[in-house]
Amino acid sequence: GQQLNQSPQSMFIQEGEDVSMNCTSSSIFNTWLWYKQEPGEGPVLLIALYKAGELTSNGRLTAQFGITRKDSFLNISASIPSDVGIYFCAGRTSNTGKLIFGQGTTLQVKP
Amino acid sequence: NAGVTQTPKFQVLKTGQSMTLQCAQDMNHEYMSWYRQDPGMGLRLIHYSVGAGITDQGEVPNGYNVSRSTTEDFPLRLLSAAPSQTSVYFCASRLRPSGGYEQYFGPGTRLTVT
């Protein structure tokens, strides 16, 4: 079946540092999404991408839809302690297709 | 507007017991789905529904049943619980199956099967 490979699996960084994580797939996707999950909560949508090459920002977060349509990355600039959580990428092959999730990147920020 | 609600928040079952996880949304969303989340596995789709009366299987449907008799509710039934079903279960909904509408998740149900 379709799989998304998300890396890194975990990151432990100092407050103020920039963070980068990415997802790759063997399949072409027409939608890439990035979610954040905090302990005890459901995932919350951060950014949605719908076009190859699209670069979208949400505050300190920036995500890009890869040109090949098989990858996406998420950058967080100037990290703060409340950025702690698990970040998931998710992809969809068609508008009515199922959403496939990556394994998640656990981010810890040291004040 | 309460969004996506799930009950119960926590549940412990013995092997072989059955139970229903409830999910409801008050946003008139057509599309609803159930995921399970296990460590290191991300979220995996169990079942989904594109509208009342229509359901279909996801990646890991075995051992689970669903029905969609109303737009608002999408219960997930465990017929005979097994320890392998210990997981965190998330319900999600989306305004329409197609187009630029994305999924919103409930708070989750933490299930332990002993």
Side-chain angles (χ1 to χ4, degrees):
Chain A
Q2 294 166 331
Q3 282 192 329
L4 288 185
N5 294 312
Q6 185 172 348
S7 65
Q9 193 171 4
S10 62
M11 303 180 76
F12 189 86
I13 62 169
Q14 196 77 30
E15 183 177 0
E17 288 183 358
D18 296 344
V19 170
S20 185
M21 59 192 79
N22 68 82
C23 266
T24 59
S25 169
S26 56
S27 304
I28 289 175
F29 287 105
N30 74 344
T31 299
W32 281 98
L33 307 171
W34 286 92
Y35 284 87
K36 178 188 177 187
Q37 184 181 28
E38 297 188 12
E41 304 292 330
V44 174
L45 182 65
L46 297 173
I47 293 179
L49 302 158
Y50 300 106
K51 268 172 50 173
E54 180 181 354
L55 186 72
T56 296
S57 292
N58 178 4
R60 292 178 296 105
L61 278 62
T62 302
Q64 184 158 30
F65 193 140
I67 292 289
T68 65
R69 296 170 64 192
K70 292 184 177 183
D71 62 340
S72 177
F73 73 75
L74 175 71
N75 283 347
I76 305 173
S77 63
S79 58
I80 58 178
S82 62
D83 289 334
V84 163
I86 305 176
Y87 291 80
F88 289 100
C89 63
R92 191 162 55 230
T93 56
S94 68
N95 281 340
T96 56
K98 303 164 197 174
L99 205 55
I100 306 296
F101 280 81
Q103 304 96 323
T105 296
T106 300
L107 177 65
Q108 293 176 291
V109 180
K110 186 177 178 184
Chain B
N1 187 329
V4 180
T5 59
Q6 290 183 240
T7 56
K9 200 162 176 65
F10 300 95
Q11 182 71 50
V12 179
L13 290 178
K14 290 190 185 335
T15 297
Q17 286 184 317
S18 62
M19 80 157 294
T20 299
L21 279 61
Q22 301 292 344
C23 174
Q25 51 88 12
D26 60 358
M27 299 173 283
N28 204 30
H29 283 183
E30 291 180 6
Y31 183 96
M32 296 183 75
S33 53
W34 276 101
Y35 291 83
R36 60 177 288 172
Q37 183 177 27
D38 303 294
M41 304 281 288
L43 288 96
R44 292 182 292 168
L45 183 65
I46 304 172
H47 285 286
Y48 66 99
S49 167
V50 298
I54 306 168
T55 63
D56 206 346
Q57 296 182 347
E59 300 171 70
V60 288
N62 292 341
Y64 307 96
N65 272 1
V66 291
S67 60
R68 184 96 181 269
S69 55
T70 67
T71 300
E72 294 78 19
D73 301 297
F74 190 43
L76 178 73
R77 295 185 191 83
L78 280 70
L79 306 173
S80 177
S84 61
Q85 293 178 304
T86 293
S87 188
V88 183
Y89 291 85
F90 289 101
C91 179
S93 74
R94 185 178 174 201
L95 181 59
R96 304 215 195 297
S98 61
Y101 302 103
E102 298 312 332
Q103 292 192 123
Y104 294 90
F105 285 83
T109 293
R110 282 141 190 86
L111 176 68
T112 301
V113 183
T114 60

